[in-house]
Amino acid sequence: MRNFNIDILRMLFAILIVIAHMGIMKLVPEMVVGPLIIFFFMLTGYFTMVGHEKRMAGQQSFSRFLLSKFMSFFPYLVMAAVIVFILQTILQIDYYGYTLGESIISSLLTFFGDISCLSMFGMPFIRGNTAAWYLSGMMIGLAVTYPFVIKFGHNFTKYVSPLIALVCIAGALRITGTLFGPYDDMWGVTKGLVESVGSICLGYFVFECVTKFKTLNLTKAGRHIFGIVELGCYALSILMIAMWVDINTGHLESYLSKEWYELLITFTLFIAVVLTCSGKTSLAFDISGRPFLLKVSSFLATGSLVLYLSNYYQIYFVSKMTKAQILQGDVMYLIYVAVSFVIVYIGGKLLIKAGKNLKEKLIITEKEDESTA
């Protein structure tokens, strides 16, 4: 079953992240962004478990799994890094007075930092695209947690991963007061890395909950009830995300502290994700066997990543290059995001196609060498 709703939600939450970053740029009221990122980490953990049995049956090595995961987003990350490289090189000459050589060397360093996903290793001085921390955290989080899945199987995902998730997410809220700020220090490492480990483990637990939920024989009325709960959880989460600033600035009264408020959003999203991934509610929309909708679904899945990579740091460079502390308005911000999105999406697709063509040529060359040997 291919549940169309999951990819719709990916794009919806990517759009919410764009709006949240517009708040950081002071174009709209700021929103809480931490639980939005945890949503994507949860999906990473869940879909890692979905493919786990197939990988074990096919005897795919752990290193090959990580490499395939890295290559799934690498072309788009490269294109986003190219945009940052160009803008940073121009900015440092025009705005900060660098020489051409100094600017190129500095920009190459940040370019390498972006495409190698090093930012969560505590190397913020070589990051160019701030949004790329998510991919860095995802790769490290999988590298840290998935070996335990391989070794201990469902005993780890059922009993240990939810405890790790609770310690990491609740710990981040208790120590730093918010899930926002991935580069903050926590337990001697960056907070984004702690959150990625916890959230991916939460995604493993989502898989276990979904597996159990799928065994239920729901009546039509039951599916409708759970569909209402699913929709209500997403609506409540988005409402709380939108109200976050007003509550934490005292404009709206709340009996919850900032930390408990973000934890409540995360817990509500967890319930919603379990129900969505189960495909058992009346909202589930199976598009298997529908070629057009499958293409749309694929676009939404890829597009949500591209939008995330295209919406923040490049815009910062552009605003500086125009000698403005912020952009002139929401429309200009969205135009820059749209242009960046098109470049990264099309450029990434072209890189993928070029890579496939090169691989096919290498395979043909190997076969020809074998036949002539």
Side-chain angles (χ1 to χ4, degrees):
M1 175 182 178
R2 177 68 181 262
N3 193 337
F4 193 38
N5 295 350
I6 293 175
D7 293 323
I8 292 175
L9 287 166
R10 280 173 168 155
M11 181 57 76
L12 171 62
F13 277 84
I15 291 171
L16 286 177
I17 289 173
V18 173
I19 296 172
H21 284 166
M22 289 173 70
I24 295 170
M25 301 294 288
K26 308 305 179 188
L27 297 177
V28 298
E30 192 173 342
M31 297 191 311
V32 59
V33 73
L36 297 174
I37 301 297
I38 285 180
F39 167 83
F40 286 99
F41 280 137
M42 275 196 288
L43 288 184
T44 295
Y46 170 75
F47 282 111
T48 296
M49 289 303 299
V50 168
H52 174 66
E53 300 297 334
K54 293 180 180 179
R55 282 190 291 274
M56 293 301 98
Q59 297 183 332
Q60 184 185 38
S61 66
F62 172 62
S63 58
R64 190 168 183 82
F65 161 69
L66 283 183
L67 179 61
S68 63
K69 190 69 178 177
F70 180 72
M71 292 307 299
S72 68
F73 62 77
F74 182 69
Y76 305 104
L77 180 61
V78 168
M79 290 307 303
V82 166
I83 295 176
V84 171
F85 172 82
I86 295 171
L87 294 179
Q88 182 179 352
T89 300
I90 297 172
L91 173 68
Q92 289 178 152
I93 296 171
D94 184 53
Y95 194 83
Y96 293 110
Y98 281 44
T99 65
L100 177 61
E102 291 172 340
S103 186
I104 289 176
I105 292 172
S106 174
S107 299
L108 281 174
L109 188 61
T110 55
F111 177 84
F112 172 75
D114 277 350
I115 66 171
S116 56
C117 292
L118 290 175
S119 59
M120 285 294 100
F121 283 99
M123 301 178 182
F125 56 90
I126 58 171
R127 71 173 185 260
N129 189 346
T130 304
W133 81 265
Y134 161 73
L135 297 174
S136 177
M138 180 182 69
M139 292 303 300
I140 301 172
L142 287 172
V144 169
T145 61
Y146 192 56
F148 292 99
V149 176
I150 295 173
K151 185 173 180 61
F152 300 107
H154 295 289
N155 287 329
F156 175 78
T157 54
K158 283 181 181 178
Y159 307 113
V160 181
S161 66
L163 294 177
I164 294 175
L166 181 63
V167 169
C168 291
I169 295 174
L173 289 169
R174 176 62 179 166
I175 294 172
T176 67
T178 179
L179 295 174
F180 182 69
Y183 295 105
D184 294 343
D185 180 74
M186 181 181 169
W187 299 331
V189 297
T190 52
K191 185 171 68 176
L193 178 55
V194 175
E195 290 178 357
S196 69
V197 169
S199 305
I200 288 173
C201 282
L202 189 59
Y204 296 154
F205 188 57
V206 166
F207 176 82
E208 297 297 340
C209 294
V210 167
T211 301
K212 189 70 175 177
F213 193 77
K214 284 182 176 180
T215 63
L216 300 177
N217 292 318
L218 298 179
T219 63
K220 188 174 181 179
R223 288 172 61 86
H224 283 310
I225 290 172
F226 279 111
I228 293 171
V229 173
E230 178 185 2
L231 184 61
C233 284
Y234 283 119
L236 180 60
S237 299
I238 293 172
L239 178 62
M240 288 191 291
I241 287 169
M243 293 169 57
W244 179 78
V245 171
D246 285 335
I247 288 175
N248 286 286
T249 55
H251 290 92
L252 285 176
E253 184 178 358
S254 174
Y255 297 102
L256 293 177
S257 64
K258 183 178 181 180
E259 302 95 290
W260 281 102
Y261 191 74
E262 291 190 32
L263 186 62
L264 179 59
I265 297 173
T266 303
F267 179 71
T268 306
L269 281 175
F270 167 77
I271 296 174
V273 169
V274 169
L275 293 174
T276 300
C277 292
S278 72
K280 295 279 285 185
T281 76
S282 58
L283 297 180
F285 186 22
D286 185 9
I287 58 173
S288 301
R290 303 186 183 187
F292 174 74
L293 289 180
L294 284 171
K295 289 181 180 180
V296 174
S297 185
S298 177
F299 169 78
L300 292 175
T302 303
S304 61
L305 170 66
V306 173
L307 182 61
Y308 175 74
L309 289 173
S310 304
N311 84 96
Y312 179 51
Y313 214 74
Q314 297 94 320
I315 312 309
Y316 165 80
F317 283 125
V318 172
S319 67
K320 286 290 187 182
M321 288 165 59
T322 57
K323 302 294 191 296
Q325 291 299 314
I326 60 173
L327 300 179
Q328 299 302 313
D330 299 4
V331 174
M332 288 304 300
Y333 179 91
L334 294 176
I335 289 174
Y336 288 133
V337 170
V339 171
S340 183
F341 177 90
V342 171
I343 294 172
V344 174
Y345 185 84
I346 294 177
K349 289 293 184 183
L350 291 175
L351 285 179
I352 292 173
K353 186 175 181 180
K356 288 181 178 179
N357 291 337
L358 179 61
K359 184 177 179 179
E360 289 175 358
K361 288 180 180 179
L362 290 175
I363 292 174
I364 293 173
T365 302
E366 287 179 3
K367 289 182 178 180
E368 289 176 347
D369 291 341
E370 289 175 0
S371 63
T372 56

